[in-house]
Amino acid sequence: MNNLANPANLAQRDAWLDKRLPAVEQVRPGLWSIPVPIPINPLRYVLVYALEHPGGVTIIDAGWNTDEAYDALTAGLAVAGYQLTDVKAILVTHIHPDHYGLAGRIREATGAWIGLHPADARLLHGRYDDSAIDELIARERALLLRCGVPDLTAQELAGASMIIKHLVTMAAPDRLIEDGQTLDIPGWNLRALWTPGHSPGHLCFTDPDRRLLFSGDHVLAKITPIVAVHPQSAPNPLADYLDALRSVAKLDIAEVLPAHEYRFTDLADRVDYVVGHHEDRLTEVATLVGESDGVTCWDLASRLTWSRPWETIPPFMQRSANNETLAHLVWLEVKGDLRRTPGEPDLWRR
């Protein structure tokens, strides 16, 4: 099965493959796609969607809090014929910095309201408030030690994400958006879908009249999003993610508008590929565990198949890889295929 989704726009797909910023684009009457650059990140940009309605626009996601991102969003809105002050609402798919980071700054400039799912809203204080950061780092370090990460490496990796904390303006949501809720966006039949996994409160938005799905990071055209066990994750995020994937595959959708890469048309086929990817990974994990009488998550992660050799993966991404591996181990444990011997580190066996 092809690991690339069918593009809805070849120019946008080619820009992604050529590592260029795609153009600001009118996707449909009243709907614009605005690429907003994100720094020090291979994803390179977030696709912010601007939905026109009487009195202004609503945007889905915002970007990281940098001057470059702020200026790019402002310029993109100008192409659509709007000023930043025309933004009336900011619908955030999830609280990762490249989606949520700029939302507070936009609200300060415009008075727009911010909407977020309650499960992600509950995590804001622990993730972004200076008074809670030390506790989060300590919990991450404890998790890494139980995974078998050496002590000095665990200390380094536990706080690795702090280098991007300044790219977020802490902003509590004005409105909590529940699963199945219809948003009050004039001229749009926009409904929220709770799709946990990549984050506990990840939201997609669908307009069934237009047969559109704004998928955030839940379903992307080329890569699979990180689904990991970490101090703020659900207990079994991979199970949540796969269930949510199968639920969106049932929708009658003509076009998927993701937050990264490019728009695509074959939602059900793409979901089949991503589910198959995780099933293959679960098989690989179970096989490698079966070859050893007790293995740590960290050791297992270093032996799995990645897009590049393990030793060339930057430390921050090694942490993500470890926590993704842990998500697969947990799901196999829940299904009864593996068992864990608790300790520091935990050991995994068939």
Side-chain angles (χ1 to χ4, degrees):
M1 187 181 296
N2 190 355
N3 70 337
L4 296 176
N6 291 329
N9 180 285
L10 290 175
Q12 191 183 53
R13 191 277 312 272
D14 291 345
W16 167 256
L17 295 177
D18 295 341
K19 302 187 185 304
R20 294 181 284 107
L21 197 69
V24 176
E25 181 187 356
Q26 186 175 29
V27 180
R28 297 277 195 286
L31 173 61
W32 295 81
S33 170
I34 302 172
V36 174
I38 54 178
I40 55 172
N41 191 303
L43 291 174
R44 302 196 308 279
Y45 55 83
V46 173
L47 293 169
V48 174
Y49 297 101
L51 287 60
E52 299 182 21
H53 50 76
V57 294
T58 289
I59 62 173
I60 298 177
D61 285 332
W64 291 20
N65 182 22
T66 65
D67 290 341
E68 182 184 13
Y70 188 88
D71 293 344
L73 179 58
T74 301
L77 288 168
V79 172
Y82 293 93
Q83 299 178 357
L84 187 68
T85 51
D86 292 316
V87 175
K88 305 303 179 185
I90 309 156
L91 308 180
V92 181
T93 59
H94 60 296
I95 61 167
H96 294 167
D98 51 330
H99 300 259
Y100 162 81
L102 195 57
R105 185 171 172 184
I106 296 170
R107 182 173 65 184
E108 291 172 4
T110 67
W113 58 268
I114 298 173
L116 193 64
H117 188 274
D120 269 14
R122 287 192 290 269
L123 305 179
L124 288 172
H125 170 75
R127 179 177 291 243
Y128 295 126
D129 194 305
D130 289 340
S131 65
I133 293 300
D134 288 346
E135 179 185 353
L136 182 63
I137 292 174
R139 291 171 62 197
E140 179 66 40
R141 178 176 176 272
L143 181 146
L144 292 172
L145 289 173
R146 291 194 61 178
C147 286
V149 180
D151 184 47
L152 290 178
T153 304
Q155 290 185 41
E156 175 191 357
L157 296 187
S161 58
M162 292 305 103
I163 62 172
I164 60 173
K165 180 179 175 296
H166 69 284
L167 300 174
V168 175
T169 297
M170 177 69 174
D174 304 285
R175 304 184 189 183
L176 298 178
I177 301 174
E178 300 284 356
D179 181 37
Q181 181 177 337
T182 298
L183 284 302
D184 184 19
I185 310 297
W188 291 83
N189 183 17
L190 200 66
R191 302 176 187 178
L193 301 174
W194 181 38
T195 51
H198 182 58
S199 80
H202 190 287
L203 287 170
C204 294
F205 299 96
T206 182
D207 186 322
D209 297 339
R210 293 173 172 84
R211 299 177 64 213
L212 299 177
L213 177 69
F214 299 91
S215 67
D217 282 1
H218 184 57
V219 191
L220 302 171
K222 184 177 184 293
I223 64 172
T224 57
I226 293 172
V227 179
V229 171
H230 55 80
Q232 288 193 321
S233 73
N236 190 357
L238 182 58
D240 295 341
Y241 177 68
L242 294 175
D243 286 345
L245 266 184
R246 294 183 177 105
S247 70
V248 300
K250 299 174 183 177
L251 299 173
D252 179 20
I253 296 297
E255 187 170 331
V256 181
L257 294 85
H260 303 289
E261 301 175 341
Y262 53 89
R263 305 192 313 280
F264 58 96
T265 58
D266 50 336
L267 174 60
D269 287 347
R270 183 60 186 161
V271 167
D272 283 346
Y273 174 83
V274 176
V275 170
H277 162 79
H278 283 288
E279 290 175 344
D280 290 345
R281 178 64 100 194
L282 288 165
T283 299
E284 183 183 14
V285 167
T287 299
L288 286 175
V289 172
E291 293 174 355
S292 173
D293 183 23
V295 63
T296 68
C297 179
W298 181 250
D299 182 50
L300 182 64
S302 70
R303 295 160 55 194
L304 288 172
T305 304
W306 302 101
S307 60
R308 65 182 101 170
W310 176 259
E311 59 275 9
T312 68
I313 300 176
F316 176 74
M317 294 179 67
Q318 285 186 349
R319 187 183 85 174
S320 295
N322 175 82
N323 293 4
E324 281 191 272
T325 302
L326 183 57
H328 288 79
L329 287 166
V330 166
W331 185 210
L332 289 165
E333 179 185 34
V334 169
K335 292 198 296 181
D337 294 339
L338 299 182
R339 61 185 176 89
R340 171 176 14 188
T341 303
E344 196 172 291
D346 296 339
L347 293 178
W348 295 86
R349 296 179 173 86
R350 293 296 294 263

